Structure formats: structure tokens, C-alpha cells
């Protein structure tokens, strides 16, 4: 009961957060340039540009423009994305599954590898394994993602022909018209629902390289956090007590130490996942991935304010949700944490 | 102790279960991925003679409605899906051939009436709907009635509707119906302009003679849509407008079967095509935004052709199996514009201290013409894939003359002109800001070159600042005439010199007004050339105009890009037409098998 009330309260808090974000971003998009730029071309006359200004209420005072936009948002009309050539809501619905699938696989890799290496690194503190993982994590945070992506492509696509170079699925499925039309937009789920296992494999195959590329940065952060957290926990008295009781080392590590060490790591995982859900411009570009990152970057380049606003709203929403989930996980991982 | 002893195995079991679950999940993923690799035979696509894959930089169409779309991504789709009354003849942009028209039109002596006889038996892609004069009239009526200011229909409206520029865009009421106001183009106006005289006969009645009218008809905007299809999907309502923005139904050689934004366009051969089914049965236009990934896919044989930026020529030159087609002039020209009436409001005086009429002095303009290193720009920045134009009319276009001279890079001459100007600017020195549109590195480099040239004339006295402008800011600066000098480019709407002279030299033109230029004599000459119907006389008029433009020295014409196409060497039927939006797939072919050596 307490948990459900907490969730409802947090969900209600989403509204002022989104309003704040929308006012901030709306003002920012209007201050950084003339919004009419997204709708005109070089060959239009000044009179025609003026017509466009009128059409989109761009001559009205800023607060009025904001209210027009807000009214649209409430009514489900988020505007037209010039970048995606479709309504903004449809664009979000289109790009989000691609980004979500990639983010889930990436964070899965990052969590498995990061926590395993971080834990082991802490156990073998200042030993060769620890040094090696520290180097790996340093490389992970400092390696430019576009370079890593291209390196993986050069080796696994161009040299070995083991992985594909682009997109979410092979052309053969598109040409044979065997792509499922839905219902979710998540190719992994849709292919399984359609019973098309070849397609499912193909989708995973396409996810592999971009997910590995994207996970590298998160692995580094999670690894570092888990290592530090583990070191802190391992030095606490209750661990010494557990060892003194004669528990075997694996039980001490897995049952007593790691679970508590996971608490701060969970925050990092949550934030990393939130960031991944916002899209990754470079990874999505290198692997021709039609995700939110590419859409937002292209929208910003062409001053497509309807798309920028829609994107910011959805990312703000995602962050709030991810934070909420992290807070709930806290309670699960540490019963001492009380939701209030 | 007991409790602990009991708890430990339970915890161990739960941890074990999680481990097992994790291992199973990872194993499934790996097995599935490996299975797929084995199943599909690695990353390389199998050669398929029926499928043509083109790798493009990305970016989506703005609309798939010929009455609205005015950019090249959508243009490529429209060009392959729809057809116009007349079209370019192979690689020639000035030689037009009848396409949906059975023959070239009869044109009245006064140049006001164009009478087309249509080809009979041309079916839309459903193979049930025949294209008739009603469809032609409907296509043009619809574009004029919508009159989308973002779109290209001005090129017909300006010559079919009296006082065209007084009319605005159509609006829709809350029910989605088109609202007619005093500011709307009416059906009556359209009925006066376009007549469906019989099932296969259409007449256009121009308000003023306009020689480029046929060239304008060859542009995508002149595509013929099916009246029945559009009406079935909403006609002249908001629903119809929206439907046509994302759906196509034409008579062309291909049908747009599917597209996914930021992913691909899939075209399949129109089985009902009146000239016979295309050789290439499926075209995949794949969006690969990263240049390196795109080049890898091309070299790996996964793409038949791809867009490769000019500065990447080293990555594709001398690669076995690839062919490069280059050196044919495009109609894209770059220029440095000089503002005769600089609006200094808002300009930083520490960056620009010249008087507003600085460029009104022809000697100053001539100095700028000679201060730009054309050869260096073309050879280094454009990788040799450009030529120096001798005026606004690009090489290869009707009206171009090779005899017209060009300005050369000559700093001694440039200095002399600055010294003999009304003010000796070499002695006095000046500060000037030169603008370019942000993101265009070639133009930025060009600005740096004019800076280097000018500053070398009086070191320490002449200071040129290069400033990049965002598109939105650029629009404001353009409107207010605030850019003292600007480096920009131009691509044509239709293949006619009027599409260059009007914007650059007519006082009502986009760039002429931007630089504050107005010359009644030249205006009259441009208007006269536009209505002259005798090609020989007209060509001479343009040659004369080119000499006039040379003398005026308003724009430094810095480069006319040449084409750069990279594809597999087995591609058959490729040719370059500067008016095409990328590729016209009907004329392309691939061998049935590849010779394995």
C-alpha cells in the first residue's frame, strides 16, 4: 500500500517536471534562432515566409505560442516532425523501439560484464587482474565511441564478414516482405510473436555490434562503481563477522557483500540506462540505426522545434521513470531503505 | 547458527538460479546470433541481378506529394514513381522528349498556348486506371489550389495565374475541408489556365509568354497524379493532402512499396509500366549516414552504388571492382556575393568598418574578383571536381557561352583596383566580415581564401573576419541585407538560364535584392530573354547578358561542381544528367551473373 502510494505520488510529480522542462526547452528553441527556419527554403519570397510565420502562429507573443503548443500536447497533437516527415508522436513511436532494444541489450552486457569484473577486481585488489580491469575501464570511458564502432565494423564486418554493417534487419527480409508489421515495433518481440525465428536471430545479429559499442562506456562506469562499492563493503565489520563464522568465501561475496555493494551501482545503472534510452547519436549513425538519437540530432541541426520539444519531453519522462524504478529497486536491495 | 546454516544454502540456491538464468539468456542470444550468421552466410549480401542497392547519406523526404515536395530525397522517389508530360532526353538537360505526352506540344506563335496530345493507354500502377487529360488538369489544378508556399508550384502559378504572388496557401477548416478566401486561388482561375479538351488533349493558357515553361514542366512538380486515386483518399481536403504526403500512385517505372524513415526506401518495378517492366526489379535506397560505414559497405559489395563525398575520393579510387564517373558539370554553382547597400545595423563595427556603399564602387568589386584563388579552391577544396564558371549560367546549360571571359586570381591587379577606387583602400585599409552558412566546410574554406587574398594586399591594414551563420540567422541577415559579403551556392529548379539570371540579376530576384542591386536595363533584358521563343535569338540574348554580367562584377563565380558517382563496375546504363535527383533507375541494369576470376 505504502509502495503504491509512493509510486502514485512520484507519478504525479512527473507533471510539474515535464511542464518545467517544456517551458525551458520551448524558450530555448525560440531564443536560439528563428523557428520559421525549419519550414522555409531559400527559394521562398519574403512574403511567402511571412505566410508561413502566420500559419504557425510564429508572430504571436511567446507565452501564447507556448499555450498553443501545450494545448496541442494535451490533445495528442504534438506537431509535425519535419525531420521524420510524420507527426511527432508517430515519430517517437517509430524511433523508440529501436533505441529501447539497443539500450536493453547494451545495458544487459554492461551490467553482466561491469558487475562481474568490478566484483572480481575488488576481491583481487591491487593484483594483476585489478590493474588490468582498471586499464579496461579507463579505456572504456576514454575511447571515442565512433572510433570503437568503426574499429568493430572494420574487423567484424569488413575483414571477417561476421556481422552486418547497418540497420536493424537484413535486406533479404525486407525484400521478401517478411518483416512483421507490428504490433510492438520491437523487432525482437514482433519476430517471436510471428514465430519467425530466423528473423529473431537476424535482429539479434544486427544488435550485436552496436550494443557492444554502446555498452563499452557503461561497462567502464559500472565496473568502477562496483569495484569501489565492493571495496567499501568488504571492509565492513559484518563481512569480517561472516568470515569469522566460517562461511565459505563465495557465500560471503555473493550473498553478503555483492548485494549490498549493488546499491550505489544500481543508481549508476539506472542513469546509464536512462542516457541510453535518450539515444546515442554516434553509435546510431555509424550502424545506421533509426533511433531517437539520430532523430534528435537531425532535428536540432534543422531547428525542427516540434521534434526537439517532443524528444525532450519524452527523454524527461524516461529519466523520471528510470529514477522511480531505481528508487523502488533500492527498497528491494536494501530493506532498511524506506520509501517516503 | 542454525538459522544461518539454513539460510546459506537457500541463498546459494537462489544465487545459483540467477546465474543459471543469466547463462541461459546469454547462451540463447549467442546461439541465435551465431545461427543467424550461419544461416545468412556472413555479413556480405549475395549478388542479386534484380536488386539494386544504393547507399545514401540519410535524411528523409519532406513530402511525397509532387505538388509540395521541393528537395532531392523525395525528388528521387517522385522521379522514379511519377512521370511528367515531357522529360529529359538521356544525359541532356536541355533536350526534352515527350513522356506522358505523345509528342512535343503545339505552341502558339505568341507563346501563350501550349497544346498537348497525351499518350494513350498509359496506366497507373494498379493497371486499371488509365491516365487521361482529366488527370493532367487535376494534377495542375490541385497544385495551384493548394499553392503551398514551401513547394515548387510557383514555377507554374507565376505564368498560369494572373497576379499569382498575391495569393496565399490554401487553408483547411476544423473538419479538414479546404477553405476558399479572397486570398486563395480559385477553381475558376485554374479552369481558365488549364483545359482538358478531350480525353487525350490538354491545353495550358499562359498569362505571359515564358520560354522555360517546358523545362519547368519536366520538373517533378509537373508529375501527373490520378484524379480517381486522390479523390478516393480525400481529394482537396486535409486528409487528401496528408495522404499524398506519404503515399504515391503514379504511372512511372517504379512503385514505392515501402519506406521506413531513416532506414530505407523500397521501390519495386511497376508491372504495368507502359514502356516495359524495368530491368532492375527492386531498388533499395538505404540510409547509411556514416561515410566510413557506407564506403565499407560499397567496397564489400553490399551496395551497388553509394554517395561518396568528394574529399573521400582516395578511399574509392583504384579499388578493384569499383568504377568512378566524374567530370561532367552539374548545375550547382558557388559564388561570393558583394552587397552594394550594406545594412550596417547590428553589424559589429570592430569587424566591419567599410561604408554601406563600399561595393558600389566597381573597382572594389573588381579587386575582390581578382583576390580569390580559383585554382587553389577547385584543386584543393573541391578535389579538382569543379570548374570555374564564367558567369551565372553554368556550363552545359542552354544559353552558356564559352567565349565569355572569367576573372583570374591576380593579386597585383586586385591591389591596383583597390588603389584606384574612389578611396585608396590599400592605403586606408578596411575591416570586413564575410559570411557563409554554417556546416558547409567548402564555403568556409572559400571564405578563408578570400580573406587570405585580401589581407595579402595590405598586411595589417586589411582585416577580413569569416563568420558562419545558422540557417535561421542567415534568413534574418538575408532579409535585412546585413551581410557585406557572403559565400553561398545555387542549384536550379529547372534547366533554363532564366532560373539563374532572374534570382541573381533581376531587381526582384532573391540574390539581387539581397545585395541591393537594381538595374532597369538589365531587368528588361532578362524579361525579354525569358519570353523569347526563338532558341537562336534567345541564346544570343543570353550570351549578351553574360557579357553584361561580367562587366557588372557583382558576384565572384567561384566553382561549378562536376559530378562524382561511385558504383560497382558491373553497373550498366549509368549516365549523368544534372537535372536528375540522384538516379533514374529505369535505365540501369546489372548482369545476370558476375564473372568470378
Amino acid at each position: 500500500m505504502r509502495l503504491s502510494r509512493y509510486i502514485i505520488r512520484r507519478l504525479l510529480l512527473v507533471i510539474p517536471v515535464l511542464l518545467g522542462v517544456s517551458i525551458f526547452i520551448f524558450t530555448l528553441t525560440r531564443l536560439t534562432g528563428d523557428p520559421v527556419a525549419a519550414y522555409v527554403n531559400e527559394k521562398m519570397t519574403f512574403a511567402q515566409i511571412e505566410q508561413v510565420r502566420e500559419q504557425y502562429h510564429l508572430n504571436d507573443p511567446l507565452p501564447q505560442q507556448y499555450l498553443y503548443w501545450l494545448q496541442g500536447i494535451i490533445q495528442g497533437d504534438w506537431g509535425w516532425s519535419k525531420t521524420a516527415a510524420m507527426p511527432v508522436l508517430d515519430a517517437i513511436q517509430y524511433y523508440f523501439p529501436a533505441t529501447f532494444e539497443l539500450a536493453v541489450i547494451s545495458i544487459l552486457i554492461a551490467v553482466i560484464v561491469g558487475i562481474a569484473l568490478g566484483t572480481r577486481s575488488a576481491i583481487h585488489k591491487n593484483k594483476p587482474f585489478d590493474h588490468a580491469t582498471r586499464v579496461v575501464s579507463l579505456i572504456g570511458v576514454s575511447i571515442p565511441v565512433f572510433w570503437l564502432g568503426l574499429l568493430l565494423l572494420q574487423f567484424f564486418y569488413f575483414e571477417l564478414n561476421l556481422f552486418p554493417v547497418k540497420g536493424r534487419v537484413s535486406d533479404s527480409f525486407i525484400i521478401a516482405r517478411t518483416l512483421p508489421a507490428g504490433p510492438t515495433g520491437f523487432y525482437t518481440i514482433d519476430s517471436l510473436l510471428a514465430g519467425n525465428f530466423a528473423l529473431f536471430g537476424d535482429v539479434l545479429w544486427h544488435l550485436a555490434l552496436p550494443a557492444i559499442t554502446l555498452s563499452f562506456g557503461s561497462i567502464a562506469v559500472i565496473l568502477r562503481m562496483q569495484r569501489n562499492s565492493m571495496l567499501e563493503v568488504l571492509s565492513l565489520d559484518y563481512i569480517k563477522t561472516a568470515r569469522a563464522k566460517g562461511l565459505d568465501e563465495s557465500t560471503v561475496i555473493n550473498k553478503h557483500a555483492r548485494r549490498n555493494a549493488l546499491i550505489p551501482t544500481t543508481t549508476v545503472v539506472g542513469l546509464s540506462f536512462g542516457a541510453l534510452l535518450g539515444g546515442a547519436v554516434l553509435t546510431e549513425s555509424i550502424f545506421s540505426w533509426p533511433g531517437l538519437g539520430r532523430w534528435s540530432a537531425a532535428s536540432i541541426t534543422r531547428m525542427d522545434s516540434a521534434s526537439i520539444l517532443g524528444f525532450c519531453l519524452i527523454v524527461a519522462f524516461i529519466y523520471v521513470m528510470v529514477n522511480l524504478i531505481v528508487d523502488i529497486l533500492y527498497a528491494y536491495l536494501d530493506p532498511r531503505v524506506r520509501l517516503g | 547458527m542454525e538459522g544461518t546454516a539454513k539460510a546459506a544454502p537457500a541463498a546459494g540456491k537462489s544465487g545459483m538460479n540467477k546465474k543459471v538464468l543469466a547463462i541461459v539468456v546469454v547462451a540463447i542470444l549467442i546461439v541465435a546470433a551465431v545461427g543467424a550468421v550461419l544461416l545468412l552466410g556472413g555479413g556480405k549480401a549475395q549478388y542479386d541481378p534484380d536488386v539494386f542497392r544504393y547507399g545514401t547519406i540519410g535524411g528523409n523526404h519532406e513530402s511525397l506529394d509532387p505538388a509540395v515536395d521541393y528537395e532531392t530525397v523525395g525528388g528521387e522517389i517522385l522521379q522514379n514513381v511519377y512521370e511528367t508530360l515531357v522529360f529529359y532526353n538521356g544525359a541532356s538537360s536541355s533536350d526534352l522528349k515527350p513522356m506522358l505526352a505523345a509528342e512535343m506540344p503545339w505552341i502558339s506563335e505568341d507563346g501563350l498556348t501550349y497544346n498537348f496530345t497525351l499518350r494513350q493507354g498509359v496506366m497507373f500502377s494498379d493497371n486499371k486506371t488509365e491516365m487521361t487529360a482529366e488527370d493532367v488538369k487535376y494534377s495542375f489544378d490541385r497544385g495551384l489550389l493548394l499553392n503551398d508556399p514551401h513547394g515548387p508550384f510557383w514555377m507554374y502559378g507565376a505564368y498560369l495565374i494572373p497576379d499569382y504572388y498575391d495569393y496565399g496557401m490554401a487553408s483547411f477548416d476544423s473538419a479538414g475541408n479546404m477553405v476558399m478566401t479572397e486570398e486563395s486561388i480559385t477553381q475558376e482561375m485554374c479552369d481558365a489556365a488549364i483545359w482538358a479538351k478531350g480525353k487525350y488533349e490538354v491545353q495550358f493558357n499562359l498569362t505571359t509568354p515564358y520560354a522555360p515553361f517546358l523545362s519547368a514542366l519536366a520538373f517533378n512538380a509537373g508529375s501527373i497524379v490520378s484524379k480517381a486515386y486522390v479523390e478516393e483518399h480525400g481529394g482537396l481536403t486535409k486528409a487528401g493532402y496528408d495522404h499524398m504526403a506519404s503515399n504515391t500512385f503514379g504511372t512511372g517505372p517504379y512503385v514505392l512499396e515501402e519506406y521506413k524513415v531513416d532506414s530505407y526506401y523500397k521501390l519495386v518495378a511497376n508491372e504495368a509500366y507502359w514502356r516495359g517492366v524495368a530491368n532492375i526489379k527492386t531498388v533499395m535506397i538505404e540510409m547509411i549516414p556514416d561515410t566510413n560505414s557506407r564506403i565499407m559497405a560499397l567496397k564489400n559489395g553490399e551496395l551497388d552504388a553509394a554517395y561518396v563525398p568528394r574529399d573521400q575520393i582516395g578511399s574509392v579510387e583504384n579499388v578493384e571492382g569499383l568504377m568512378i564517373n566524374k567530370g561532367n558539370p552539374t548545375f550547382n554553382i558557388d559564388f561570393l556575393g558583394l552587397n552594394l547597400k550594406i545594412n550596417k545595423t547590428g553589424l559589429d563595427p570592430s569587424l566591419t568598418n567599410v561604408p554601406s556603399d563600399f561595393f558600389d564602387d566597381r573597382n572594389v568589386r573588381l579587386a575582390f574578383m581578382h583576390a580569390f584563388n580559383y585554382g587553389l579552391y577547385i584543386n584543393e577544396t573541391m578535389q579538382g571536381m569543379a570548374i570555374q564558371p564564367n558567369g551565372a549560367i553554368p556550363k552545359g546549360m542552354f544559353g552558356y557561352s564559352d567565349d565569355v571571359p572569367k576573372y583570374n586570381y591576380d593579386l597585383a591587379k586586385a591591389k591596383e583596383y583597390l588603389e584606384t577606387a574612389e578611396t585608396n583602400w590599400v592605403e586606408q585599409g578596411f575591416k570586413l566580415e564575410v559570411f557563409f552558412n554554417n556546416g558547409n566546410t567548402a564555403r568556409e574554406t572559400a571564405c578563408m581564401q578570400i580573406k587570405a587574398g585580401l589581407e595579402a594586399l595590405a598586411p595589417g591594414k586589411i582585416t577580413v573576419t569569416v563568420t558562419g551563420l545558422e540557417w535561421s540567422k542567415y534568413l534574418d541577415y538575408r532579409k535585412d541585407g546585413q551581410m557585406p559579403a557572403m559565400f553561398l551556392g545555387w542549384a536550379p529548379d529547372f534547366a533554363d538560364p532564366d532560373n539563374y539570371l532572374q534570382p541573381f540579376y533581376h531587381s526582384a530576384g532573391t540574390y539581387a535584392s539581397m545585395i541591393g542591386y537594381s538595374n532597369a536595363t538589365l531587368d528588361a533584358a532578362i524579361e525579354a530573354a525569358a519570353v523569347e521563343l526563338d532558341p537562336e535569338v534567345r541564346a544570343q540574348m543570353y550570351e549578351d547578358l553574360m557579357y553584361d554580367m561580367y562587366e557588372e562584377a557583382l558576384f565572384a563565380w567561384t566553382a561549378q561542381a562536376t559530378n562524382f558517382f561511385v558504383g560497382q563496375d558491373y553497373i550498366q546504363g549509368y549516365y549523368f544528367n544534372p537535372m536528375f535527383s540522384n538516379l533514374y533507375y529505369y535505365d540501369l541494369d546489372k548482369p545476370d551473373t558476375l564473372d568470378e576470376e
Side-chain angles (χ1 to χ4, degrees), chain B residues 70-86:
Chain B
Y70 203 6
E71 41 77 41
T72 51
V73 178
E76 183 176 13
I77 305 302
L78 298 180
Q79 172 181 282
N80 286 285
V81 167
Y82 285 103
E83 285 179 314
T84 47
L85 293 173
V86 289

Side-chain angles (χ1 to χ4, degrees), chain A residues 37 39 41-44 83-85 94-95 157 161 166 171 174-175 177 202 205 255 286 288 294 302, chain B residues 11 37 40 42-44 53 60-62 149-150 261-262 266 286 293 300 302 471 474 478 491 493 511:
Chain A
Y39 305 100
N41 59 58
E42 205 162 353
K43 296 183 176 179
M44 287 168 73
T83 313
Y94 171 75
Y95 290 112
Y157 166 69
N161 257 326
K166 61 179 168 57
D171 284 355
I174 300 164
I175 292 167
R177 305 185 69 175
D202 187 72
W205 182 46
K255 167 69 182 161
I286 289 163
S288 314
R294 250 172 85 193
R302 63 188 299 175
Chain B
V37 172
L40 298 164
K44 194 169 178 175
R53 293 178 172 87
N60 304 303
H61 61 267
E62 289 191 354
H150 315 87
V261 296
D262 280 336
K266 181 188 175 190
E286 317 215 17
S293 310
N300 221 9
E302 190 156 343
W471 169 231
Y474 161 76
R478 188 185 91 170
D493 306 295
Y511 293 109

Side-chain angles (χ1 to χ4, degrees), chain B residues 87-214:
Chain B
F87 196 54
Y88 310 106
N89 194 1
S92 170
S93 60
S94 50
D95 183 17
L96 298 175
K97 65 177 180 184
M99 185 57 90
L100 289 179
E103 57 196 20
M104 292 309 278
W106 171 84
I107 305 170
S108 64
E109 267 184 37
D110 59 7
L112 292 173
T113 308
Y114 285 67
N115 205 83
F116 285 93
T117 302
L118 301 181
R119 208 174 281 280
Q120 297 186 20
V122 173
M123 307 301 281
F124 283 95
S125 55
D126 64 351
N127 205 12
K128 290 175 190 158
T129 316
E130 190 188 5
M131 187 273 307
T132 67
E134 278 298 318
D135 297 309
V136 176
K137 176 168 169 54
Y138 185 82
S139 301
F140 285 90
D141 284 2
R142 182 175 171 273
L144 291 169
L145 289 167
L146 289 171
N147 196 24
D148 193 328
H150 315 87
F153 247 73
W154 63 268
M155 64 179 77
Y156 311 124
Y159 306 98
L160 289 170
I161 304 294
D163 303 319
Y164 167 75
Y165 286 106
D166 290 347
Y167 299 102
M169 184 189 182
S171 56
F172 300 99
D173 61 20
S174 54
N177 296 313
M178 192 182 272
V179 179
M180 305 307 286
T181 66
E182 281 180 11
E183 289 169 1
S184 312
I185 290 174
T186 63
Q187 184 63 53
E188 289 71 35
M189 293 178 197
C190 297
D191 289 344
I194 306 139
W195 297 348
K197 294 172 76 177
K199 193 175 178 185
Y200 302 110
E201 199 179 342
V202 179
Q203 183 170 309
F204 291 86
N205 303 309
L206 276 61
T207 54
T208 176
Y210 189 55
F213 189 64
L214 276 185

Side-chain angles (χ1 to χ4, degrees), chain B residues 189-429:
Chain B
M189 293 178 197
C190 297
D191 289 344
I194 306 139
W195 297 348
K197 294 172 76 177
K199 193 175 178 185
Y200 302 110
E201 199 179 342
V202 179
Q203 183 170 309
F204 291 86
N205 303 309
L206 276 61
T207 54
T208 176
Y210 189 55
F213 189 64
L214 276 185
S215 294
L217 285 180
F219 185 69
N220 285 327
S223 296
I224 305 306
V225 301
S226 157
K227 180 180 179 179
Y229 176 83
V230 180
E231 284 296 315
E232 192 187 327
H233 292 92
L236 286 165
T237 64
K238 180 76 169 58
Y241 179 84
D242 289 345
H243 181 85
M244 291 302 286
S246 48
N247 293 277
T248 58
F249 184 71
T251 60
Y254 285 94
V255 174
L256 176 63
E257 188 182 86
E258 187 192 9
Y259 71 85
K260 286 209 182 289
V261 296
D262 280 336
S263 293
Y264 60 85
Y265 292 92
K266 181 188 175 190
L267 301 170
V268 295
N270 175 3
E271 295 294 328
Y273 189 50
W274 59 276
R275 284 195 290 164
V277 183
N279 294 318
I280 302 285
K281 300 293 180 276
T282 304
V283 174
M284 292 292 299
I285 301 170
E286 317 215 17
M287 293 177 221
I288 308 175
D290 184 75
T291 302
N292 294 298
S293 310
R294 205 163 55 248
I295 291 174
M296 265 190 241
L298 180 68
K299 284 181 174 175
N300 221 9
E302 190 156 343
L303 298 172
D304 293 296
Y307 166 72
V308 177
R310 288 174 166 79
D311 59 5
Q312 293 293 320
I313 186 169
S315 311
V316 289
E317 226 171 15
N318 303 320
V319 172
E320 198 186 331
L322 291 187
M323 67 110 165
I324 293 175
N325 182 297
K326 59 176 184 169
N328 305 295
T330 68
F331 287 161
N332 300 343
I333 48 170
D334 286 345
F335 60 89
L336 175 72
L338 308 173
N339 192 347
L340 308 186
K341 290 176 187 163
I342 305 166
N343 173 7
K344 293 174 73 179
T345 320
L347 284 182
D348 185 345
S350 68
L351 301 179
T352 301
N353 67 356
V354 296
S356 295
D357 60 355
F358 180 62
F359 287 116
D360 209 26
D361 187 335
R362 185 167 173 269
N363 281 332
V364 174
R365 301 203 298 270
L366 287 171
F368 274 66
M369 298 293 133
H370 288 292
F372 187 79
N373 193 336
Y374 301 91
L376 183 69
Y377 179 63
I378 287 169
N379 291 327
E380 298 297 323
T381 311
M382 303 288 285
Q383 306 284 322
M385 280 176 272
I387 51 175
Q388 187 190 343
N390 59 0
I393 303 173
K395 186 172 187 171
M397 182 168 281
F398 170 80
Y400 172 84
S401 169
D402 236 348
D403 300 336
V404 179
K406 328 171 173 169
Y407 293 102
N408 61 339
Y409 175 60
D410 187 338
L411 289 185
K413 254 188 191 172
K415 193 171 182 178
E416 200 182 312
Y417 280 121
L418 274 190
E419 283 169 339
T420 52
E422 281 174 29
T423 304
N424 183 339
W425 291 110
V426 173
E427 201 176 285
Q428 186 172 318

Side-chain angles (χ1 to χ4, degrees), chain A residues 280-339:
Chain A
V281 179
L282 291 173
T283 309
E284 289 180 359
S285 293
I286 289 163
F287 293 96
S288 314
W289 200 262
L292 286 170
R294 250 172 85 193
W295 175 55
S296 63
S299 304
I300 291 166
T301 311
R302 63 188 299 175
M303 279 289 295
D304 180 356
S305 51
S307 300
I308 297 169
L309 285 164
F311 170 76
C312 289
L313 269 192
I314 204 71
V315 168
F317 181 75
I318 288 168
Y319 262 95
V320 173
M321 287 297 121
V322 167
N323 271 316
L324 175 61
I325 293 165
V326 167
D327 288 350
I328 294 167
L329 273 179
Y330 260 34
Y332 166 74
L333 289 170
D334 185 355
R336 289 170 304 174
V337 173
R338 290 286 167 264
L339 301 167

